Amino acid sequence: MLKRSFEPAPGCWMILPVNSSVSTKDRILGAAELLFAQRGFEGASLRQLTTNAGVNLAAVNYHFGSKEKLVEEVFRRRLDALNESRLAALAQVAGAPETTLEDVLEAFIRPALDLSHDDSGALFMRVLARAFAEHDDTLRQFLSANYGHVMRQFTAEFARLLPQLSKQELYWRIDLVTGALTHAMSGFGMIQRKSDVSENAHREQTALHLIRFAVAGLSHP
Amino acid sequence: MLKRSFEPAPGCWMILPVNSSVSTKDRILGAAELLFAQRGFEGASLRQLTTNAGVNLAAVNYHFGSKEKLVEEVFRRRLDALNESRLAALAQVAGAPETTLEDVLEAFIRPALDLSHDDSGALFMRVLARAFAEHDDTLRQFLSANYGHVMRQFTAEFARLLPQLSKQELYWRIDLVTGALTHAMSGFGMIQRKSDVSENAHREQTALHLIRFAVAGLSHP
DNA sequence: GCGGCCGTCAAACGATCGTTTGTTGCAAAC
DNA sequence: GTTTGCAACAAACGATCGTTTGACGGCCGC
């Protein structure tokens, strides 16, 4: 919207408004991520949200149209990048004869783990887990419509690597693995890393745990 | 409270007030379970809830004190019975030399699966999954204080059967299994049973899937 | 310098929230 | 017959919700 108004003069000096060290829109999105994670979509009020963001109450409806649209935008901002990374990682291994289950799972888990690196990314994982548990039809349709193809591509690759499983059996196992991963990523930090372990080493260990667990759950006889 | 007023004349004709085929309290609890599953704790209003239950708006605060206490009572009613069943089933196998991982997991999963048999029980599992995702401190403390000992007993038995795992490793795996099971039970019915399979057979199959998956996740090398 | 647009703001809108109040009907206790 | 206590009810409480409005100021193209 903001960018649209600059459209008549395309390219070049599109420095974006200089005063926006962090733009109002982004401040709202950041505050929304935090408050949605803490209080849920219904529990987070726009007044609390805009106060935390340091912007006017009306700014949400001005920039996003409604609270519901804001929720969608919070998801879109993160999931666009996340799923792009996942698909890129998957593309590097999909179809290759030497590809293992670990490789595919790594392509799925690693981008999410990287996202969880900074605090706000970890918060988003909580938001995502809440959304899963909500069983809200509007949100599920939005997620399915915009990102269903990612899940479908991964499923296809799993099916290739696990030809002995029936479709029914494969769906069951993927569903269970998804549950475990969502749960683990949203509770990230519950199993505290020891102070003598570096952040990087901790993430590496986490990825190992998740992948080994998922491999075992997917491929058991 | 209602029963207290009948206390002076104990026994015999305590038919309970005849008009209460279903008491007001239970009607509220039932409607709450449904509405909490559909709209969450914040999203469910007492007006909608009491309307669905066919009781007066003030009845909730009269019988339960507040909305928050009602939430706790919804959990207590189901979890008391559920965990009693789990502990009873665990007691039958815990410590025995011939006990397998499957036995312990069966003791944990079967009561929840039986609860999900009727619709309202399945709804409760959704409520439980939402509560997990909410990360609400009040609720978590309540759950931990009242039912933490169940998890602890099961963990101890898992530790006995998986002596090769470090404590850290065991916690990781139990956490992941918990996530998978919660996810699966809350989404119960997403993988539809075929019409030519009986309800009982479907439940049996579900239990098998869950247990095999959990065994693989817990005991992989 | 002027007009038009955009982002921000305080203020208010009607709706709905959880909770409280005061009354009524009714059955048990005395 | 009177008193007491419980349960249900309509009505209202103040607070807070998402959203809308209209005014104000700064920046652009002209």
Side-chain angles (χ1 to χ4, degrees):
Chain A
M1 242 174 229
L2 183 95
K3 289 170 199 157
R4 279 274 178 275
S5 70
F6 286 81
E7 199 183 43
C12 61
W13 56 274
M14 195 179 287
I15 327 167
L16 281 178
V18 270
N19 63 351
S20 78
S21 66
V22 177
S23 72
T24 297
K25 260 181 112 160
D26 282 332
R27 279 216 301 278
I28 292 176
L29 285 171
E33 209 162 47
L34 172 58
L35 208 59
F36 287 162
Q38 290 174 332
R39 302 218 209 278
F41 307 116
E42 300 257 13
S45 80
L46 291 186
R47 281 172 177 80
Q48 178 94 53
L49 198 157
T50 50
T51 300
N52 293 354
V55 304
N56 187 269
L57 169 62
V60 170
N61 280 278
Y62 177 78
H63 284 285
F64 298 95
S66 69
K67 186 184 181 182
E68 196 178 65
K69 295 282 185 61
L70 169 61
V71 173
E72 288 188 5
E73 202 54 34
V74 166
F75 280 102
R76 198 188 308 273
R77 181 175 68 148
R78 296 287 186 184
L79 288 181
D80 278 353
L82 177 61
N83 282 331
E84 198 175 339
S85 295
R86 280 177 167 166
L87 287 181
L90 177 62
Q92 290 199 344
V93 297
E98 72 275 15
T99 294
T100 64
L101 260 186
E102 280 88 348
D103 296 330
V104 180
L105 284 164
E106 174 108 8
F108 190 80
I109 292 174
R110 178 72 54 171
L113 218 54
D114 290 342
L115 178 61
S116 299
H117 187 206
D118 66 289
D119 289 339
S120 66
L123 281 175
F124 173 72
M125 283 313 200
R126 293 250 300 253
V127 177
L128 195 57
R130 291 188 81 128
F132 263 92
E134 299 238 352
H135 284 247
D136 177 78
D137 270 348
T138 311
L139 204 51
R140 288 179 94 83
Q141 280 171 17
F142 169 80
L143 291 176
S144 169
N146 288 278
Y147 310 105
H149 65 288
V150 177
M151 237 11 240
R152 244 168 280 132
Q153 277 190 242
F154 273 91
T155 301
E157 187 63 14
F158 282 133
R160 187 181 73 90
L161 295 174
L162 297 164
Q164 74 277 18
L165 299 182
S166 70
K167 239 180 194 148
Q168 175 109 337
E169 182 71 35
L170 180 65
Y171 287 163
W172 255 111
R173 299 189 182 193
I174 289 182
D175 196 39
L176 289 168
V177 165
T178 304
L181 297 189
T182 306
H183 180 83
M185 302 291 297
S186 76
F188 203 54
M190 292 227 326
I191 297 182
Q192 296 291 344
R193 72 182 162 100
K194 300 171 190 164
S195 55
D196 61 342
V197 181
S198 79
E199 166 97 25
N200 260 348
H202 180 240
R203 255 199 304 161
E204 223 49 50
Q205 253 199 351
T206 300
L208 260 182
H209 274 112
L210 295 183
I211 290 175
R212 281 187 187 151
F213 181 89
V215 168
L218 283 177
S219 61
H220 72 268
Chain B
M1 250 175 227
L2 182 95
K3 289 169 201 158
R4 280 272 178 275
S5 70
F6 288 80
E7 198 180 44
C12 61
W13 57 275
M14 192 180 288
I15 327 166
L16 282 175
V18 270
N19 61 352
S20 79
S21 66
V22 178
S23 73
T24 297
K25 261 180 111 160
D26 282 332
R27 281 215 300 279
I28 292 176
L29 285 171
E33 210 161 48
L34 172 59
L35 209 58
F36 287 162
Q38 291 175 332
R39 303 219 210 277
F41 306 117
E42 302 257 13
S45 80
L46 292 186
R47 282 172 176 82
Q48 178 94 53
L49 198 157
T50 50
T51 299
N52 293 354
V55 305
N56 187 270
L57 169 62
V60 170
N61 282 277
Y62 177 78
H63 284 285
F64 299 95
S66 68
K67 185 183 181 180
E68 196 178 63
K69 294 281 184 61
L70 169 62
V71 173
E72 288 188 6
E73 202 54 34
V74 167
F75 280 102
R76 199 189 309 274
R77 181 174 69 149
R78 295 289 185 183
L79 287 181
D80 278 352
L82 177 61
N83 282 330
E84 199 176 337
S85 294
R86 281 178 167 166
L87 287 181
L90 178 62
Q92 289 200 343
V93 298
E98 73 274 17
T99 294
T100 63
L101 259 185
E102 280 89 347
D103 296 330
V104 181
L105 284 165
E106 173 108 7
F108 189 81
I109 293 174
R110 178 71 54 169
L113 218 53
D114 289 342
L115 178 61
S116 300
H117 187 204
D118 67 287
D119 290 339
S120 66
L123 281 176
F124 173 73
M125 288 316 243
R126 291 252 299 254
V127 177
L128 195 58
R130 290 188 83 127
F132 263 91
E134 300 239 350
H135 285 245
D136 177 79
D137 271 347
T138 311
L139 203 52
R140 286 180 96 83
Q141 279 171 18
F142 169 80
L143 291 176
S144 169
N146 289 277
Y147 310 105
H149 64 288
V150 177
M151 230 23 231
R152 245 168 278 131
Q153 278 191 242
F154 273 92
T155 300
E157 186 64 13
F158 283 133
R160 188 181 73 88
L161 295 175
L162 297 163
Q164 73 277 18
L165 298 183
S166 70
K167 241 183 192 143
Q168 175 107 339
E169 181 71 34
L170 180 65
Y171 286 163
W172 256 110
R173 298 188 183 193
I174 289 181
D175 195 41
L176 290 168
V177 165
T178 304
L181 296 189
T182 305
H183 180 83
M185 301 292 296
S186 76
F188 202 55
M190 293 227 325
I191 297 182
Q192 296 290 343
R193 72 180 163 101
K194 301 170 191 165
S195 55
D196 60 342
V197 181
S198 80
E199 166 98 26
N200 261 347
H202 181 239
R203 256 199 304 161
E204 223 49 49
Q205 252 200 350
T206 301
L208 260 181
H209 274 112
L210 296 184
I211 290 175
R212 281 185 186 152
F213 180 89
V215 168
L218 284 176
S219 61
H220 72 267

